[in-house]
Coordinates of all heavy atoms in Angstrom, one line a residue:
Q113 N 63.7 -10.1 4.6 CA 65.0 -9.7 5.0 C 64.9 -8.4 5.9 O 65.8 -8.2 6.6 CB 65.8 -9.3 3.7 CG 66.4 -10.6 3.1 CD 67.3 -10.2 2.0 OE1 67.3 -9.1 1.4 NE2 68.2 -11.2 1.6
A114 N 63.8 -7.6 5.7 CA 63.7 -6.4 6.5 C 63.6 -6.8 8.0 O 64.1 -6.2 8.9 CB 62.5 -5.6 6.1
N115 N 62.8 -7.9 8.3 CA 62.7 -8.4 9.7 C 64.1 -8.8 10.2 O 64.4 -8.5 11.4 CB 61.7 -9.5 9.7 CG 60.2 -9.0 9.5 OD1 60.0 -7.8 9.7 ND2 59.4 -10.0 9.1
R116 N 64.9 -9.4 9.4 CA 66.1 -9.8 9.8 C 67.0 -8.8 10.2 O 67.7 -8.7 11.2 CB 66.7 -10.8 8.8 CG 68.0 -11.5 9.2 CD 68.5 -12.5 8.2 NE 69.8 -13.2 8.3 CZ 70.8 -13.0 9.2 NH1 70.8 -12.1 10.0 NH2 71.9 -13.8 9.0
L117 N 67.0 -7.7 9.3 CA 67.8 -6.5 9.5 C 67.4 -5.8 10.8 O 68.2 -5.4 11.6 CB 67.7 -5.6 8.3 CG 68.3 -4.2 8.4 CD1 69.9 -4.4 8.6 CD2 68.1 -3.3 7.3
A118 N 66.1 -5.7 11.0 CA 65.5 -5.0 12.2 C 66.0 -5.8 13.4 O 66.4 -5.2 14.5 CB 64.0 -5.0 12.1
A119 N 66.0 -7.1 13.4 CA 66.3 -7.9 14.6 C 67.8 -7.7 14.8 O 68.2 -7.6 16.0 CB 66.1 -9.5 14.3
C120 N 68.7 -7.6 13.8 CA 70.1 -7.4 14.0 C 70.4 -6.0 14.5 O 71.3 -5.8 15.3 CB 70.9 -7.6 12.7 SG 70.9 -9.3 12.1
L121 N 69.5 -5.0 14.2 CA 69.7 -3.6 14.7 C 69.3 -3.5 16.1 O 69.9 -2.9 16.9 CB 69.0 -2.6 13.8 CG 69.6 -2.4 12.4 CD1 68.7 -1.5 11.6 CD2 70.9 -1.8 12.5
L122 N 68.1 -4.1 16.4 CA 67.6 -4.0 17.8 C 68.2 -4.9 18.7 O 68.3 -4.7 19.9 CB 66.0 -4.3 17.8 CG 65.1 -3.4 17.1 CD1 63.7 -3.9 16.9 CD2 65.2 -2.0 17.8
M123 N 68.6 -6.0 18.3 CA 69.2 -7.2 19.1 C 70.6 -7.6 18.5 O 70.7 -8.8 18.0 CB 68.3 -8.2 19.3 CG 67.0 -7.9 19.9 SD 65.7 -9.3 19.9 CE 65.1 -9.1 18.2
P124 N 71.6 -6.8 18.5 CA 72.9 -7.2 17.8 C 73.4 -8.4 18.6 O 73.4 -8.5 19.8 CB 73.8 -5.9 18.1 CG 73.1 -5.0 19.0 CD 71.6 -5.4 19.1
K125 N 74.1 -9.2 17.8 CA 74.5 -10.5 18.3 C 75.4 -10.5 19.5 O 75.1 -11.2 20.5 CB 75.3 -11.3 17.2 CG 75.7 -12.7 17.6 CD 76.4 -13.4 16.4 CE 76.9 -14.8 16.8 NZ 77.4 -15.5 15.8
P126 N 76.5 -9.7 19.6 CA 77.2 -9.7 20.8 C 76.5 -9.3 22.1 O 76.6 -9.8 23.1 CB 78.3 -8.6 20.5 CG 78.4 -8.6 19.0 CD 77.0 -8.8 18.6
A127 N 75.7 -8.2 22.0 CA 74.9 -7.8 23.2 C 73.8 -8.8 23.5 O 73.5 -9.1 24.6 CB 74.2 -6.5 22.8
F128 N 73.2 -9.4 22.4 CA 72.2 -10.4 22.8 C 72.6 -11.6 23.4 O 72.1 -12.2 24.3 CB 71.4 -10.7 21.4 CG 70.1 -11.4 21.6 CD1 68.9 -10.7 21.9 CD2 70.0 -12.8 21.5 CE1 67.8 -11.3 22.1 CE2 68.8 -13.5 21.7 CZ 67.7 -12.7 22.1
V129 N 73.8 -12.2 22.9 CA 74.5 -13.3 23.5 C 74.8 -13.0 24.9 O 74.6 -13.8 25.9 CB 75.6 -13.8 22.6 CG1 76.3 -15.0 23.4 CG2 75.1 -14.4 21.3
H130 N 75.4 -11.8 25.1 CA 75.7 -11.4 26.6 C 74.5 -11.3 27.3 O 74.5 -11.9 28.5 CB 76.4 -10.0 26.5 CG 76.8 -9.5 27.9 ND1 77.8 -10.1 28.6 CD2 76.2 -8.6 28.6 CE1 77.9 -9.4 29.7 NE2 76.9 -8.5 29.8
G131 N 73.3 -10.8 26.9 CA 72.1 -10.8 27.6 C 71.5 -12.2 27.8 O 71.1 -12.5 29.0
Y132 N 71.8 -13.0 27.0 CA 71.3 -14.4 27.1 C 72.1 -15.1 28.2 O 71.5 -15.8 29.1 CB 71.6 -15.2 25.7 CG 71.6 -16.7 25.8 CD1 70.4 -17.4 26.0 CD2 72.7 -17.4 25.8 CE1 70.3 -18.8 26.1 CE2 72.6 -18.8 25.8 CZ 71.4 -19.6 26.1 OH 71.4 -20.9 26.0
V133 N 73.5 -15.0 28.2 CA 74.2 -15.5 29.3 C 73.9 -15.0 30.6 O 73.8 -15.7 31.6 CB 75.8 -15.3 29.0 CG1 76.6 -15.7 30.2 CG2 76.2 -16.2 27.8
L134 N 73.6 -13.7 30.7 CA 73.2 -13.0 32.0 C 71.8 -13.6 32.5 O 71.6 -13.9 33.6 CB 73.2 -11.5 31.9 CG 74.4 -10.8 31.7 CD1 74.2 -9.3 31.6 CD2 75.4 -11.1 32.9
A135 N 70.9 -13.8 31.5 CA 69.7 -14.3 31.9 C 69.7 -15.8 32.3 O 69.0 -16.1 33.3 CB 68.6 -14.3 30.7
M136 N 70.6 -16.6 31.7 CA 70.8 -17.9 32.1 C 71.4 -17.9 33.5 O 71.1 -18.8 34.4 CB 71.6 -18.7 31.1 CG 70.9 -18.9 29.8 SD 69.5 -20.0 29.9 CE 70.4 -21.7 29.8
K137 N 72.3 -17.1 33.7 CA 73.0 -17.0 35.0 C 72.0 -16.7 36.1 O 72.0 -17.2 37.2 CB 74.2 -16.0 35.0 CG 75.0 -16.0 36.3 CD 76.1 -15.0 36.0 CE 76.9 -14.9 37.3 NZ 78.1 -14.0 37.2
K138 N 71.2 -15.7 35.9 CA 70.2 -15.2 36.8 C 69.2 -16.4 37.1 O 68.7 -16.5 38.2 CB 69.4 -14.1 36.3 CG 68.3 -13.5 37.1 CD 67.7 -12.2 36.6 CE 66.5 -11.8 37.3 NZ 65.7 -10.8 36.7
A139 N 68.9 -17.2 36.1 CA 67.9 -18.3 36.2 C 68.6 -19.4 36.9 O 68.0 -20.5 37.1 CB 67.4 -18.7 34.9
G140 N 69.9 -19.4 37.1 CA 70.6 -20.5 37.8 C 70.9 -21.6 36.9 O 71.3 -22.7 37.3
S141 N 71.0 -21.4 35.5 CA 71.3 -22.4 34.5 C 72.4 -22.1 33.6 O 72.4 -22.4 32.5 CB 70.0 -22.6 33.7 OG 69.0 -23.2 34.5
L142 N 73.4 -21.4 34.1 CA 74.5 -21.0 33.3 C 75.2 -22.2 32.7 O 75.7 -22.0 31.6 CB 75.5 -20.1 34.2 CG 76.7 -19.5 33.4 CD1 76.1 -18.6 32.3 CD2 77.6 -18.8 34.3
S143 N 75.4 -23.3 33.4 CA 76.0 -24.4 32.8 C 75.2 -24.9 31.5 O 75.9 -25.6 30.7 CB 76.1 -25.6 33.9 OG 74.8 -26.0 34.2
S144 N 73.9 -24.6 31.5 CA 73.2 -25.1 30.2 C 73.3 -24.1 29.1 O 72.9 -24.4 28.0 CB 71.7 -25.1 30.6 OG 71.6 -26.1 31.6
A145 N 73.8 -22.9 29.4 CA 73.9 -21.9 28.3 C 74.6 -22.3 27.0 O 74.0 -22.0 26.0 CB 74.6 -20.6 28.8
P146 N 75.7 -22.9 27.0 CA 76.4 -23.4 25.7 C 75.4 -24.3 24.9 O 75.6 -24.4 23.7 CB 77.6 -24.0 26.1 CG 77.9 -23.6 27.6 CD 76.6 -23.3 28.2
R147 N 74.6 -25.1 25.6 CA 73.9 -26.1 24.8 C 72.5 -25.5 24.3 O 72.0 -26.1 23.4 CB 73.5 -27.3 25.9 CG 74.8 -28.1 26.2 CD 74.3 -29.3 26.9 NE 73.6 -29.0 28.1 CZ 74.3 -28.9 29.4 NH1 75.4 -28.8 29.5 NH2 73.5 -28.6 30.5
G148 N 72.1 -24.4 24.9 CA 70.9 -23.7 24.4 C 69.7 -24.1 25.2 O 69.7 -25.0 26.1
L149 N 68.6 -23.4 25.0 CA 67.4 -23.6 25.7 C 66.7 -24.7 25.0 O 66.4 -24.8 23.8 CB 66.5 -22.4 25.5 CG 67.0 -21.1 26.4 CD1 66.1 -20.0 26.1 CD2 66.8 -21.4 27.9
W150 N 66.1 -25.6 25.8 CA 65.3 -26.7 25.2 C 63.8 -26.2 25.2 O 63.3 -25.8 26.2 CB 65.3 -28.0 26.2 CG 66.6 -28.7 25.9 CD1 67.7 -28.8 26.6 CD2 66.7 -29.6 24.8 NE1 68.6 -29.6 26.0 CE2 68.1 -30.2 24.9 CE3 66.0 -30.0 23.7 CZ2 68.6 -31.1 24.0 CZ3 66.6 -30.9 22.8 CH2 67.7 -31.4 22.9
M151 N 63.2 -26.3 24.1 CA 61.8 -25.9 23.9 C 60.9 -27.2 23.7 O 60.5 -27.4 22.7 CB 61.5 -25.0 22.7 CG 62.3 -23.6 22.9 SD 61.7 -22.7 24.2 CE 60.1 -22.1 23.4
D152 N 60.8 -28.0 24.8 CA 60.1 -29.2 24.7 C 59.0 -29.1 25.7 O 58.6 -28.0 26.2 CB 61.0 -30.4 25.0 CG 61.7 -30.4 26.4 OD1 61.3 -29.6 27.2 OD2 62.7 -31.1 26.5
E153 N 58.3 -30.2 26.0 CA 57.2 -30.2 26.9 C 57.5 -30.2 28.4 O 56.5 -30.2 29.2 CB 56.2 -31.4 26.5 CG 55.7 -31.3 25.1 CD 54.9 -30.0 24.9 OE1 54.1 -29.6 25.7 OE2 55.2 -29.4 23.8
Q154 N 58.7 -30.5 28.7 CA 59.0 -30.5 30.2 C 58.8 -29.2 30.9 O 59.3 -28.1 30.4 CB 60.5 -30.9 30.3 CG 60.8 -32.3 30.0 CD 62.2 -32.8 30.2 OE1 62.7 -32.5 31.3 NE2 62.9 -33.4 29.4
P155 N 58.0 -29.2 31.9 CA 57.6 -27.9 32.6 C 59.0 -27.1 33.0 O 58.9 -25.8 32.9 CB 56.9 -28.4 33.8 CG 56.3 -29.7 33.4 CD 57.4 -30.3 32.6
C156 N 60.0 -27.8 33.5 CA 61.2 -27.0 33.9 C 61.8 -26.3 32.7 O 62.3 -25.2 32.9 CB 62.1 -27.9 34.6 SG 62.8 -29.3 33.6
N157 N 61.8 -26.9 31.6 CA 62.4 -26.4 30.4 C 61.5 -25.1 29.9 O 62.1 -24.2 29.5 CB 62.6 -27.4 29.3 CG 63.8 -28.3 29.6 OD1 64.5 -28.1 30.5 ND2 63.7 -29.5 29.0
R158 N 60.2 -25.4 29.9 CA 59.3 -24.3 29.5 C 59.4 -23.0 30.5 O 59.5 -22.0 29.9 CB 58.0 -24.7 29.6 CG 57.6 -25.7 28.5 CD 57.2 -25.0 27.2 NE 56.9 -26.0 26.2 CZ 56.8 -25.6 24.9 NH1 56.8 -24.3 24.6 NH2 56.5 -26.4 24.1
A159 N 59.6 -23.3 31.7 CA 59.7 -22.2 32.7 C 61.1 -21.4 32.5 O 61.0 -20.2 32.5 CB 59.6 -22.8 34.1
L160 N 62.1 -22.2 32.3 CA 63.5 -21.5 32.0 C 63.4 -20.7 30.7 O 63.8 -19.6 30.7 CB 64.5 -22.6 32.0 CG 65.9 -22.0 31.6 CD1 66.4 -21.1 32.6 CD2 66.9 -23.3 31.4
A161 N 62.7 -21.3 29.7 CA 62.7 -20.5 28.4 C 61.8 -19.3 28.6 O 62.3 -18.2 28.1 CB 62.1 -21.5 27.3
A162 N 60.8 -19.4 29.3 CA 59.9 -18.3 29.5 C 60.6 -17.1 30.3 O 60.7 -16.0 29.9 CB 58.6 -18.6 30.3
E163 N 61.4 -17.6 31.3 CA 62.2 -16.6 32.1 C 63.3 -15.9 31.3 O 63.5 -14.7 31.3 CB 62.8 -17.3 33.3 CG 63.5 -16.4 34.3 CD 64.1 -17.1 35.5 OE1 63.5 -18.2 35.8 OE2 64.8 -16.5 36.2
V164 N 63.9 -16.7 30.5 CA 65.1 -16.1 29.7 C 64.4 -15.2 28.5 O 65.0 -14.0 28.3 CB 65.9 -17.3 29.0 CG1 66.8 -16.7 28.0 CG2 66.7 -17.9 30.2
M165 N 63.4 -15.6 27.9 CA 62.7 -14.8 26.8 C 62.2 -13.6 27.4 O 62.4 -12.4 26.9 CB 61.6 -15.5 26.1 CG 62.1 -16.6 25.2 SD 60.9 -17.4 24.2 CE 59.9 -18.3 25.4
D166 N 61.6 -13.5 28.6 CA 61.1 -12.3 29.3 C 62.2 -11.4 29.6 O 62.2 -10.2 29.4 CB 60.3 -12.7 30.6 CG 58.9 -13.4 30.3 OD1 58.4 -13.2 29.2 OD2 58.4 -13.9 31.2
S167 N 63.3 -11.9 30.1 CA 64.5 -11.2 30.4 C 65.0 -10.4 29.2 O 65.3 -9.2 29.2 CB 65.6 -12.0 31.1 OG 66.7 -11.2 31.4
L168 N 65.2 -11.2 28.1 CA 65.7 -10.6 26.9 C 64.7 -9.6 26.4 O 65.2 -8.5 25.8 CB 66.1 -11.7 25.9 CG 67.2 -12.6 26.3 CD1 67.3 -13.8 25.4 CD2 68.5 -11.8 26.2
A169 N 63.5 -9.9 26.4 CA 62.5 -9.0 25.8 C 62.5 -7.6 26.5 O 62.5 -6.6 25.9 CB 61.1 -9.5 25.8
E170 N 62.7 -7.7 27.9 CA 62.7 -6.5 28.6 C 64.0 -5.7 28.4 O 64.0 -4.6 28.2 CB 62.6 -6.9 30.1 CG 62.6 -5.7 31.0 CD 62.4 -6.1 32.5 OE1 61.8 -7.0 32.9 OE2 63.0 -5.3 33.4
R171 N 65.1 -6.4 28.4 CA 66.4 -5.8 28.1 C 66.5 -5.1 26.8 O 67.1 -4.0 26.8 CB 67.5 -6.9 28.2 CG 68.9 -6.4 28.0 CD 69.8 -7.5 27.9 NE 70.5 -7.8 29.1 CZ 71.4 -7.1 29.8 NH1 71.8 -6.0 29.4 NH2 71.9 -7.6 30.9
F172 N 66.0 -5.7 25.8 CA 66.1 -5.1 24.4 C 64.7 -4.4 24.0 O 64.7 -3.9 22.8 CB 66.5 -6.2 23.4 CG 67.8 -6.7 23.6 CD1 68.1 -7.8 24.4 CD2 68.9 -6.0 23.1 CE1 69.4 -8.2 24.6 CE2 70.2 -6.4 23.2 CZ 70.4 -7.5 24.0
R173 N 63.8 -4.3 24.8 CA 62.5 -3.6 24.6 C 61.9 -4.1 23.3 O 61.5 -3.4 22.4 CB 62.8 -2.2 24.6 CG 63.2 -1.6 25.9 CD 63.2 0.0 25.9 NE 63.5 0.4 27.2 CZ 64.6 1.1 27.6 NH1 65.5 1.3 26.6 NH2 64.8 1.4 28.8
V174 N 61.8 -5.5 23.2 CA 61.1 -6.1 22.1 C 60.1 -7.1 22.7 O 60.1 -7.3 23.9 CB 62.1 -6.9 21.2 CG1 63.2 -5.9 20.5 CG2 62.8 -8.0 22.0
S175 N 59.3 -7.7 21.8 CA 58.3 -8.6 22.2 C 59.1 -9.9 22.6 O 60.1 -10.2 22.2 CB 57.3 -9.0 21.2 OG 57.9 -9.6 20.0
R176 N 58.3 -10.8 23.4 CA 58.8 -12.1 23.8 C 59.0 -12.9 22.5 O 60.0 -13.6 22.3 CB 57.8 -12.7 24.7 CG 58.2 -14.0 25.3 CD 57.1 -14.4 26.3 NE 57.6 -15.4 27.1 CZ 56.8 -16.2 27.8 NH1 55.5 -16.0 27.8 NH2 57.3 -17.2 28.6
T177 N 58.1 -12.8 21.5 CA 58.2 -13.5 20.1 C 59.5 -13.1 19.4 O 60.1 -13.9 18.9 CB 56.9 -13.2 19.4 OG1 55.8 -13.7 20.1 CG2 57.0 -14.0 18.1
A178 N 59.8 -11.8 19.5 CA 61.0 -11.3 18.8 C 62.2 -11.9 19.4 O 63.1 -12.2 18.7 CB 60.9 -9.8 18.8
A179 N 62.2 -11.9 20.8 CA 63.3 -12.5 21.4 C 63.5 -13.9 21.1 O 64.6 -14.4 20.8 CB 63.2 -12.3 22.9
L180 N 62.4 -14.8 21.0 CA 62.4 -16.1 20.7 C 63.0 -16.3 19.2 O 63.8 -17.2 19.0 CB 61.1 -16.8 20.8 CG 61.1 -18.3 20.3 CD1 61.9 -19.1 21.1 CD2 59.5 -18.8 20.4
V181 N 62.5 -15.5 18.3 CA 63.0 -15.5 16.9 C 64.5 -15.3 16.8 O 65.3 -16.1 16.1 CB 62.2 -14.6 16.0 CG1 62.8 -14.5 14.6 CG2 60.8 -15.1 15.9
R182 N 64.9 -14.3 17.6 CA 66.4 -14.0 17.6 C 67.2 -15.1 18.2 O 68.2 -15.6 17.7 CB 66.7 -12.6 18.3 CG 68.1 -12.2 18.2 CD 68.4 -11.8 16.8 NE 69.7 -11.2 16.7 CZ 70.6 -11.4 15.8 NH1 70.4 -12.2 14.8 NH2 71.8 -10.8 15.7
L183 N 66.7 -15.7 19.3 CA 67.3 -16.9 19.9 C 67.5 -18.1 18.9 O 68.5 -18.6 18.8 CB 66.6 -17.4 21.2 CG 66.6 -16.6 22.5 CD1 65.6 -17.0 23.4 CD2 68.0 -16.8 23.1
R184 N 66.4 -18.3 18.1 CA 66.5 -19.3 17.2 C 67.4 -19.0 16.2 O 68.1 -19.9 15.6 CB 65.1 -19.5 16.6 CG 64.2 -20.4 17.5 CD 63.1 -21.1 16.8 NE 62.4 -22.1 17.6 CZ 61.2 -22.0 18.1 NH1 60.4 -20.9 17.9 NH2 60.8 -23.0 18.8
S185 N 67.5 -17.8 15.6 CA 68.3 -17.3 14.5 C 69.9 -17.5 14.9 O 70.7 -17.7 14.0 CB 68.2 -16.0 14.1 OG 68.5 -15.0 14.9
L186 N 70.0 -17.4 16.2 CA 71.5 -17.6 16.7 C 71.8 -18.9 17.2 O 72.9 -19.3 17.7 CB 71.8 -16.6 17.8 CG 71.6 -15.0 17.5 CD1 71.7 -14.2 18.7 CD2 72.7 -14.7 16.4
G187 N 70.8 -19.9 17.0 CA 71.1 -21.3 17.4 C 71.1 -21.5 18.9 O 71.7 -22.4 19.3
L188 N 70.4 -20.7 19.5 CA 70.4 -20.8 21.2 C 69.2 -21.5 21.6 O 68.9 -21.6 22.8 CB 70.5 -19.4 21.8 CG 71.8 -18.6 21.4 CD1 71.7 -17.2 21.9 CD2 72.9 -19.4 22.0
V189 N 68.3 -22.0 20.7 CA 67.1 -22.7 21.1 C 67.2 -24.1 20.5 O 67.5 -24.3 19.3 CB 65.8 -22.1 20.6 CG1 64.6 -22.9 20.8 CG2 65.6 -20.8 21.3
R190 N 66.9 -25.1 21.2 CA 66.9 -26.5 20.8 C 65.6 -27.1 21.0 O 65.1 -27.1 22.1 CB 67.9 -27.3 21.5 CG 69.3 -26.8 21.4 CD 70.3 -27.5 22.2 NE 70.3 -29.0 21.8 CZ 71.3 -29.8 22.2 NH1 72.2 -29.4 23.0 NH2 71.2 -31.1 21.8
D191 N 64.9 -27.4 19.8 CA 63.6 -28.0 20.0 C 63.5 -29.3 19.1 O 62.5 -29.8 18.8 CB 62.5 -27.0 19.6 CG 62.6 -26.4 18.3 OD1 63.6 -26.6 17.6 OD2 61.9 -25.4 18.1
D192 N 64.7 -29.8 18.7 CA 64.7 -31.0 17.9 C 64.9 -32.2 18.8 O 65.9 -32.5 19.3 CB 65.9 -30.9 16.9 CG 66.0 -32.1 16.0 OD1 65.1 -33.0 16.1 OD2 66.9 -32.2 15.1
V193 N 63.7 -32.9 19.0 CA 63.8 -34.0 19.9 C 64.6 -35.2 19.4 O 65.0 -36.0 20.1 CB 62.3 -34.5 20.2 CG1 61.7 -33.5 21.1 CG2 61.6 -34.9 19.0
S194 N 64.9 -35.1 18.1 CA 65.8 -36.3 17.6 C 67.1 -36.2 18.2 O 67.8 -37.2 18.1 CB 65.8 -36.2 16.0 OG 66.5 -35.1 15.6
E195 N 67.6 -35.1 18.7 CA 68.9 -35.1 19.2 C 69.0 -35.8 20.6 O 70.0 -36.2 21.1 CB 69.3 -33.5 19.6 CG 69.5 -32.8 18.3 CD 69.8 -31.4 18.7 OE1 70.5 -31.1 19.7 OE2 69.5 -30.4 17.9
V196 N 67.8 -36.0 21.1 CA 67.8 -36.7 22.5 C 67.8 -38.1 22.3 O 68.4 -38.9 23.1 CB 66.4 -36.3 23.2 CG1 66.3 -37.1 24.5 CG2 66.4 -34.9 23.5
G197 N 67.3 -38.8 21.3 CA 67.2 -40.2 21.0 C 65.8 -40.6 21.1 O 64.8 -39.9 21.3
T198 N 65.7 -41.9 20.9 CA 64.3 -42.6 20.8 C 63.8 -42.8 22.4 O 64.5 -43.3 23.2 CB 64.4 -43.9 20.2 OG1 64.9 -43.7 18.9 CG2 63.0 -44.4 20.0
V199 N 62.6 -42.4 22.6 CA 62.0 -42.5 23.8 C 61.0 -43.8 23.7 O 60.1 -43.7 22.7 CB 61.2 -41.3 24.3 CG1 60.5 -41.6 25.6 CG2 62.2 -40.1 24.4
Y200 N 61.1 -44.8 24.5 CA 60.2 -46.0 24.5 C 59.2 -45.9 25.6 O 59.3 -45.4 26.6 CB 61.0 -47.2 24.6 CG 62.0 -47.4 23.5 CD1 63.2 -47.0 23.6 CD2 61.6 -47.9 22.3 CE1 64.2 -47.2 22.6 CE2 62.4 -48.1 21.2 CZ 63.7 -47.7 21.4 OH 64.6 -47.9 20.4

């Protein structure tokens, strides 16, 4: 719980979501912002996620991992391939 509290203090939800939207806009993917970042094996998705995490980490002065954990806690990361459907 201490880690969660620290994340909330360092990266408050309103400011973090605003930073996320700005990072997505800067990356040219604002239309994807409501659906979240895909963390799959596609190079374009990996590159976008890295760019957004780097931007958030710099903005909030935290590690890239801390930014990813906060993105996940806010439901802004999608890595559940079952949402896509079956690939044959």
Side-chain angles (χ1 to χ4, degrees):
Q113 283 190 339
N115 288 339
R116 187 171 174 354
L117 176 63
C120 291
L121 290 173
L122 292 173
M123 300 171 278
K125 183 178 179 176
F128 194 80
V129 171
H130 178 72
Y132 164 76
V133 170
L134 290 178
M136 291 292 278
K137 184 177 181 179
K138 181 180 174 189
S141 293
L142 186 57
S143 63
S144 299
R147 293 188 301 270
L149 286 171
W150 280 101
M151 295 294 289
D152 56 19
E153 297 303 318
Q154 293 186 43
C156 60
N157 290 342
R158 289 277 179 185
L160 175 61
E163 187 174 341
V164 169
M165 285 187 294
D166 288 343
S167 176
L168 290 167
E170 183 178 328
R171 176 187 273 287
F172 291 95
R173 295 188 174 113
V174 297
S175 70
R176 193 176 188 195
T177 302
L180 175 59
V181 168
R182 188 66 171 142
L183 283 165
R184 281 200 166 114
S185 75
L186 295 174
L188 297 172
V189 170
R190 296 175 64 166
D191 50 8
D192 182 1
V193 293
S194 64
E195 292 180 32
V196 178
T198 305
V199 179
Y200 296 97

